[in-house]
Each structure stands twice: as C-alpha cells, then as structure tokens.
Amino acid sequence: MKAADSKTDIDVVEGEGEEVQLLMGNRAVVQGLLEAKVGLTTAYPGTPSTEIQMQLYKLHQKGQLYFEFSVNEKVAFEIAGAAALSGVRSAVIMKHVGLNVASDSLMALAYFGVIGGMVVVVVDDPGCLSSQNEQDSRFWGKFSHLPILEPSTSQEIKDTIVQAYELSEKYNTIILVRLTSFTSLNTAEVKMKVVEEKLAKDGDFFKDIRYALPARYVLHKGLHAILEQIKEDEDFLGNNELKYGDSISDRLIITQGAIYPMVEYMRNLNNLDIPILKINAIHPLNEKQIGEFLKKYKYIYFVEELESYLESEILSIIGKYNLNLKVFGKEQLAIPEENRILPDVLSEAFKRIATDPNNEEIFKVKPPVPSPYAHVFGRVDQLIPRTIPRLCDGCCHRGAFYSIKRATKKTDIIPSDIGCYALGQVFPVDIGDFWLCMGASIGTAIGFSLTNDKPVVAVIGDGTFFHAGIPPLIDAVLYNHNITVAILNNSLTAMTGGQPTPSSDEKKAKNQRQLDIEQVVRGLGVEYVKSVRVEDTKENTKIFREAMAHEGPSVVIFNGECVVELYRHSLDLGEAPYVDEELCNMCGTCFIEFSCPSIIKKDGQIVIREDTCTACNICVGVCPQTAIIPRKKKKV
Amino acid sequence: MSGNENKPINIAIVGLGGQGVITLAKLIANTNFMLGKKVCYNEQHGLSQRGGSVQSSIRINEADNPLFAAKDTDFIIGLEKLETLRYLYLAKEAKPKVLVSNRYDIRTTSDLGLEMFPESDDIDKEILKYSSATYIFDALGFEASVKSKLKPVNVAVFSVLTTFPELGLPTGKAEDYVMEYLGRNILLKQINKKAFKEGPKWMKKVE
C-alpha cells in the first residue's frame, strides 16, 4: 500500500504497474485519457465536469501532458480538433451547455473526421443543480452523426475512454462520451494502469483537398457510411449487455448506461427476477442486435433519465420489424422527463413493473407527486425553511452590487449572467432581473434598451465576459446602444471552484499572460470606461451614476478578490469589525440593503458574527452612521 | 445487526457547504476500502461554497451504486440540525440511527422575515420520533475547545463513528487514514490527531 500524490485517493498495488483505486467518475476520465496516451486536452470550466479539468490542469503543470483552459468551449473544441487532424490524440471536456457553444465547429468537423483519436467528454446536469437548463446530450449523436458511449461506473468510464480512442482512430470519427452528474460524481473502485510517462503532442498535418471542398454533402454521405460500419463493430456493440439474461421472465427492462447501477439496485430491492438490457452504446443503435435482445420477451419497460430517447428509438425498431411486444414507457411507468432520477423517484415505476402487465388500469393512473428529493434548494416540507444559496460572507461582489443598487432604480432593467454573481438575484441583494446563458447579459441588455424607455444595466463576470461577452459589447459600440455594463472582476472562475480566467495574474495562472480588462474594453472602442476597487462603495455609486448618464455604451469594472480563493491561502483574514451600539440607529442599511450573512440581529442589536466574518470591511463604508468600526485587517 | 456481513450499509451525510460533509464521506469510504471492503459514495454539491445544502450518500459492501431508497437507510449523520431535519424523510420508514450535531445555523432569511425557523427542541423531537437511536454530537462544545481557527468537526465525528461496530471502522486504521489524508503538515497533523482523540468525548446517546 502506498499513498497517492493526490489528496483524494489511496492506491492498492495489484500486479506490476497495475493498481486499484477509489476514483470519482470525473477522475476516471483522466485515468482513461492517460492510459490512452492523449497528448492534448482542452476545456472550459463547467460543473459537473470540473474535477476532470482541474486534474488535467495539475498534470499539465507537472509537464505530463498539454492542457489549457481555453477562452470558451468552441475554441477548446477547435484546438483539440486541429490536434486530432494533425494525428495527435486529443480530448475536449465540457458540461452539457458547453457543447451548445462548441456545436458550430462540432457539426462541421464531424464531416472531416479525425486522424488521431478525438473524444468529446460531455457531462450532463439533470436537475440543473449548477446549470441554466438541463438537456439530454444523447440527442447530439443523431444530430451530428457521431457515436455516443455512455458508461455506468467509474471502472466503465475509464475503460470506455480507452476504447473510444481505438474506435475513433479505427473509423476516423470523433467519439462523444456522455456522463451525467450521477456517473461523474460517484466514487467507486477502478482497476487501472499507472501511467507516468510524458505524453507528447507532436503531430503532422497533411493538407487534403477534402478540407476545402465546397460540395460538402459528399462528406455528409461519407459520415453516414461510417455510422453504418461502426454499427457492426463488435467492440462497439459489446457495450450493450443483457444483465440477468438467464432469467425465464417474459419481461425486460431497458435502461441507459448512466443510471444502470441505480436501476439494478431497484430491481433487487423489489425482488424482481427480470433481466435488464443495459445500453451504453447509445448511438448508433444496431437494429439486429436490439431485435435479438428483444425476441425472448413479451413485455418491455423503459427506464430512462430525462428524455424518452431509447424508448422512441427502440419503438421505431419494434415497429419496423413488426414485433409483437407490449411496451411501457415514461407515461405508463410515471417516470418524470425532467430532473434527476433517484431511487425514490423510481419507486412508483418499479411498483408498476412488478404488477400484472395486462392490468390496464394501473398504468393509466396519473403520476404521483414527485419525490421530495426533487427540490434541492426548494421546499421539501412547508415546515422546513429553504437553504437558499447566497453570496459568501466577504464576497467582493456584494460591494459592487451595493454600489449598483444605490445608483439604479427598482424599475431599471438589469440582465445578469452566468457565475457567482447570478446569486445577486436572490433577495435581499436583488440585482439581476434576467438570466439566460454565458455572455447573454450584454446582448439582451441591448435588446431591452432598444425597446424600453428605461435605463438598462448588464452585469457580467470576468470569465463570462471573455467567454462570450466581447462580441455583444462590440455591437453596442457599433450602434451606440445606450447600456451600462458592470464587469465584476475577481480574476477567476469562482463558481466552479476557482479556475484561471484571462484576467488572472501570474500567481494564479502560471505560463499565462494576464489581460487587462480595461485595455480590452477601450480597445473595443468603448468611450466611458472606469476601473474601480469594490470597497469604496460611496465613490463607486457616483461613478456608476455617471456611467449610466453617459450617452452610448459605458463600462465600469469592479475589481476585488474571491474570498474562497483568499481562504485557500490563509485561514486568518483579519479581525471582524464591530458595531458601535451608541452610533447604530438600526436603519438596516448593512443588514438589508448590503445583506451580508455575517451581519445579524441579536437581542435587538445589529451584531457582526466573528466566526464567519472575513474582515472584508466593505460594510464599514456602507454604514450611514459610521457605526461599523474596523479592527485589524490582515494584509493579503 | 443482521447476521449477513455482506449486507450493504447505507449512510447519508448531510450538512452545509464548508462543514466537511464530502471529506467525512471520503474518510469513511477510504478507510473501508483500505480494509478490502467494497464501498462507493457520491456527492451532491448544491452551490456548496455558498452555504448551500450538501449531501453525500455512502454504501459499504456495495461496489457501484451509492444511491439508496429512503426505506433502505441505515444511518443518517447530520452536521447541522436544519439539514438533518430536511433529510429526515429518509428516516420515516427506515428508522435508522441518527447522529446529529447540536449546531443549528439559523440563516439570515429568518432575520429578514423570509422564513420561519423551527425551534431547536422541536427538531430534536422530530429526530427522536423517526430514529431507532439518536446520538448528539456536541459540536458547539467541541469547537469552543479547539484553540485553532480550524475546527475539524468532521474528523471528530469520524472518530465517533469508529465506536459503531456495524460501520466497521477500526479506530487504529481510521486514525491512520486521517493522518495520511488530512495530515499534510505538522499543524494539521496536530489538530486532526487531537480532534480524532477527543471526538467520542463529545458524543452522547439520547436515552
């Protein structure tokens, strides 16, 4: 037994160069990439795929392989794509909505195919625990004509990644590997090979007339041909398995890789002697293989998370071959098409699977109320208060929000964006009326300003600004749209755990140039640009009013440090300020308008909690009575 | 305890972001793994760094599926009272053992008049009603006794868990793993060693 270098896992040495570790699904992806000797990897931060990226980032710093946090998913995809065309194995990692951003390049590169293996790892977030929407990435397979594999366990994730590179090179096609928050965040045993060598990214790009061809429908045709071939590949089809196949039952449960372990658990919990067809090779499906699996059974039950993807695909196979089967899908089994699938969500479905399949009445009953599991932030029970996520104690955004709040009216329209500052929408901070997707605050601000006779303010973070906020700001400059943009700059991607952004300094992001947001904005042609520190809320309020009065686009950059990041370096950030009871008139400015969770009411007085206060001292400048007195602040 | 040693043991750990829920899950899982047992766990971070609700479920003697149905719950570990109450529906049918910290973090939504928070005693009554045995961990007392800014309540709770034979965590192995995983420097070693040693002292069974 030996200690692992990471703080997460321990190793048990098996044979030579082999060991068993407890690995989170996301970490198993990285292990697969190492075993497949992938030389170039790219990503844009996104939960629930972040652990893959952070691990690759560490490996890059150690010099084992190339990794970068690209400016957005589209660029990340293009970099990895060109590497694969140069014969280098590459991977690009993103969350489900990231693939929307990269899809323009994905759809076109699918036509060319690749030389070196290329895998896109996409992690879905059913239940939108940390996303603006939930979507079922299985549909990308049919849409882009690319094969999709969906492993069930950490071990399968690692093995699937390795296999995906073999298939990718055998058929010269990009392979999508789809995980969900279930598989990516589960930790289980993985048997693996130790890979310590440096993985090179030396390639050789051959120019080919194909890449410049205008009549690309020819390539489209070729892509269909590849899918037909891969459909017959034994290794690929081997990902689909009939479990408990020796059962004599005439019923069959069909499920997808991502939730198989849970479905198996429910089968056993309900003592059902029914086999399960586990489909990991989501796209393309081989009609013959599926038909072979189905022919022994009379009753088919589909258990799926999110959309009824397999249900409709396999129904068309059943229809085509005129198979005499009775099918029970989401509707009959009362499985929701939204949110995560959890054991208790499936309890009604398994009750129905266990009953007489010919009892029509049971399957017509309306679905019961969804499980309490469904509401993570919501109200489980009328008597239990919600735990509403909020800006951290000492979050620098709170200072910016306070200034914006003072400078704007309640009726002003304020679209916000994707990041920690989206939590500004939560009462009582209450900044942010609209929340769409990465970079959308500025574009929608323009639309609101053109159609409403009200001041419009866009709120966007530094990472999001670089990701997708620059093109709309250019639009605002081009047509002199009358909007004010607040760029909340904490120099990192805070929401996903503190990854570097283009404005990160050298200390945070080694081997990366630091971009000055103010210079970038000026370079775009914005005339009114101010860059301020968050602490001076009074002065910032004045500046923000001035920016809003400016005719045409104006930008105020609020600079501060993410308090979680500060804590990573020191647990002692200084002493909490205190409230002078004589001076305090309980006006509520600090408590309600500024709304720091460390400022509480206790025995009819305003008190600052010493155990949670981080001594950011922004509240000191907020108090109209100057009743908040600072103590020692540690220099950071 | 049932006679079947390989029966899965299903544990839910709940708390707030920053309390060490995930770390506690790792400690339990990895100690079992080192002993050669099958184990798996998951994590659910609901914007955890922002004081959100955090939950992890662990299954010992199970290889791949860490999630379990409410009626299958064997153990609930709550690092905060309100979060324990929130997940108490896991206990309603199963009547598991519940280990709950006496930390009750009343959020500012209460002061702002947005939410009504239940009385601490009422939460205790609810927990007692639905558990086969209730254990209180005096986190407030423990925290006050720790001089450092770092309050390793999760390590202390982990140490308490070694006193439950059904969880199969031998004290020696458990401590070794805490030292290996959380002893990156001398200061951390000291703090966590002390927390591990003193943990059981702060636990009380409710009779």
Side-chain angles (χ1 to χ4, degrees), chain A residues 196-269:
Chain A
E196 278 162 350
E197 70 194 85
K198 192 176 176 317
L199 304 170
K201 58 168 173 57
D202 305 324
D204 195 356
F205 175 66
F206 285 102
K207 297 185 185 185
D208 187 331
I209 186 69
R210 276 186 331 134
Y211 302 145
L213 202 71
R216 288 191 175 180
Y217 67 86
V218 180
L219 297 176
H220 186 181
K221 200 171 170 184
L223 195 50
H224 280 289
I226 287 173
L227 278 180
E228 287 305 314
Q229 285 172 25
I230 208 163
K231 228 175 177 171
E232 305 294 332
D233 188 290
E234 275 181 26
D235 291 335
F236 180 74
L237 293 179
N239 286 295
N240 301 334
E241 267 179 274
L242 185 67
K243 301 278 191 174
Y244 306 100
D246 46 8
S247 153
I248 50 154
S249 173
D250 54 4
R251 305 178 202 185
L252 175 71
I253 295 168
I254 299 183
T255 194
Q256 64 193 106
I259 58 166
Y260 171 74
M262 206 190 311
V263 172
E264 185 190 33
Y265 163 77
M266 289 304 286
R267 170 198 182 272
N268 298 337
L269 187 71

Side-chain angles (χ1 to χ4, degrees), chain B residues 143-193:
Chain B
E143 282 177 25
S145 79
V146 178
K147 294 285 168 286
S148 146
K149 263 234 168 191
L150 202 73
K151 313 279 186 194
V153 175
N154 51 357
V155 172
V157 169
F158 180 56
S159 166
V160 169
L161 296 178
T162 61
T163 63
F164 293 92
E166 68 266 41
L167 297 182
L169 299 165
T171 315
K173 282 269 184 224
E175 186 173 358
D176 286 351
Y177 186 62
V178 169
M179 288 300 109
E180 186 185 309
Y181 173 41
L182 296 172
R184 277 191 300 282
N185 57 48
I186 291 173
L187 185 73
L188 285 174
K189 266 202 172 79
Q190 271 175 0
I191 293 172
N192 287 318
K193 203 179 176 78

Side-chain angles (χ1 to χ4, degrees), chain A residues 64-130:
Chain A
Q64 198 171 2
L65 48 70
Y66 182 81
F67 172 79
E68 67 166 53
F69 280 115
S70 307
V71 72
N72 64 31
E73 291 89 349
K74 183 168 180 287
V75 174
F77 181 88
E78 287 153 3
I79 294 170
L85 283 179
S86 305
V88 176
R89 283 192 169 186
S90 71
V92 52
I93 320 294
M94 55 188 72
K95 67 188 290 181
H96 59 305
V97 286
L99 196 47
N100 301 345
V101 177
S103 63
D104 207 2
S105 311
L106 174 92
M107 298 298 285
L109 187 64
Y111 279 21
F112 297 142
V114 287
I115 312 288
M118 179 175 181
V119 170
V120 178
V121 179
V122 57
V123 189
D124 284 12
D125 181 16
C128 311
L129 274 182
S130 49

Side-chain angles (χ1 to χ4, degrees), chain B residues 121-140:
Chain B
D121 291 349
D122 290 342
I123 300 182
D124 293 346
K125 275 183 215 150
E126 276 297 283
I127 294 173
L128 266 175
K129 196 157 73 185
Y130 294 115
S131 58
S132 60
T134 309
Y135 305 84
I136 308 273
F137 181 77
D138 181 7
L140 300 176

